[in-house]
Amino acid sequence: MVCTPDALERMDVGVRDGRFAALAPPGSAPADAPTLDAGGCIVLPGLVDAHVHFREPGLVHKEDWGSASTAAVAGGVTTVLDMPNVLPPTATPAALEEKVARVAGRSRCHYGFYGLLAAANADQIEALAAAGAAGLKLFLGETTASLPAPADGALLEALRVAGACGLRTMVHAENGDLLAAAARRATGLDGLDAHLAARPALAEVEAVTRICLLASAAGAPLAIAHLAAAGAVRAVRRAKVDGVDVRGEACPHHLLLTHAQAAHLGSLAKVNPPLRTEADQAALWVGIADGTIDEIGSDHAPHATSEKAVAVAVAPAGFAGVQLTLPMLYGRLGPRRLVGLCAEGPARTWGLWPSKGRIALGADADLVVVRPHPPAQPAAQWSRHPDGPILRLCPPTAEVVATLVDGRPVWLHGAPRGSPAGRWLRR
Ligand SMILES: [Zn+2]
């Protein structure tokens, strides 16, 4: 059963020169063509995960490109867009070129790179666009790396430049000053309860609302990363009604887990924005149903086990996820909505449509073969540090049997295949 943009139907999929070359009735493949039998399975376009932290350069004790891109294809992800908060940050064309050179020949999936938009490099936007950055990433509020955003006036100007270059900006939207104030009030709490209290929904809602106003005034396209608060979903919905070019992203952990379910895991479940309430989670699902949320990104952000094995207050935020999106969300979304949110949606947001995100004649032959039953054994994890709340608490609902990139199997029956042949998708 093949999931095309129009239907879920039984067919043969033919591939030639790395592209889909035939969508034909079953049994119509030429007898001498090499085939992959996907009987009993569902065939989807390869997932596009537009929010990963593969940690190169500078943070390879947490993850490296080889392990991360293997985890990606093990999870049916054939394209990733990698975040710029590495060491050094991807803040200049030289840093972008260094990343391109490092990853060349080492990636099992296709990849693109965000450039940073911060106070210190706001003059680099045009150069980053010319160097092929997939988009920009802006951190509003305190995050893992300290990369302060420009003040509002400079930010407005930077967004004007980004808009003129056609670069979309993805925003980590939490108001840092409101976070600091909330942290001062969060006394008498400990563990993840203190973390949740120190990162209130208000900080998210205010930042989403403000950046939508600024981007609208600047004529700059926007994407809001990891929506977690009900009010932030409403803010994106309002902005869309007002005509702002903003795309909403949600993450599997916010869709599948609440604070109450994961609080006992302590540092292991620490993430920004935090896992929130059932009401917040319900608002995310409403946002998916009404199109406020356009895409799902994993925010794959592993840390070394030793870094997480400390008190919540000092532990870094984030955990692995790129291999888990498809197995854990398949049962909740079904194949067509999964494709819409995890392949077509991000491909459209980041300029990869129509060559990626769909099974259609002429599109790149990136696909995943899924067996829609829970596997007998949990799948082996390929990230260097795969542990986290999704892995611990969410049962798999499907199994990735095979993943093809440019028509070649890169993942088959539980193991990587062939040499890494993922390409840099230079914007
Ligand atoms: Zn992130």
Side-chain angles (χ1 to χ4, degrees), residues 103-188:
V103 173
R106 296 173 54 216
S107 187
R108 295 195 183 274
C109 59
H110 299 311
Y111 52 95
F113 299 116
Y114 290 95
L116 182 69
L117 169 50
N121 81 324
D123 60 344
Q124 296 291 312
I125 294 167
E126 281 171 308
L128 283 165
L136 298 171
K137 178 70 182 285
L138 169 68
F139 296 90
L140 294 175
E142 176 268 331
T143 54
T144 299
S146 188
L147 302 163
D152 286 351
L155 180 53
L156 179 64
E157 192 50 46
L159 288 168
R160 282 197 185 108
V161 175
C165 298
L167 275 188
R168 187 177 292 274
T169 301
M170 186 185 262
V171 185
H172 180 126
E174 291 182 286
N175 177 316
D177 205 44
L178 291 177
L179 295 180
R184 286 192 293 274
R185 289 176 66 95
T187 52

Side-chain angles (χ1 to χ4, degrees), residues 17-19 65 69 73 78-81 100 103-113 352 355-356 362-366 404-408 410 419-427:
D17 299 332
R19 301 214 171 146
W65 206 279
S69 72
V73 297
T78 53
T79 297
V80 298
L81 299 183
V100 170
V103 173
R106 296 173 54 216
S107 187
R108 295 195 183 274
C109 59
H110 299 311
Y111 52 95
F113 299 116
L352 301 169
S355 62
K356 305 237 175 270
D364 294 349
D366 302 335
L404 275 67
V405 166
D406 289 338
R408 288 186 299 269
V410 294
S419 53
R423 292 177 283 116
W424 177 36
L425 305 176
R426 184 194 170 109
R427 185 180 160 279

Side-chain angles (χ1 to χ4, degrees), residues 12 20 67 78 88 130 221 300 329 404 410:
D12 281 355
F20 294 117
S67 54
T78 53
H300 177 83
L329 276 172
L404 275 67
V410 294

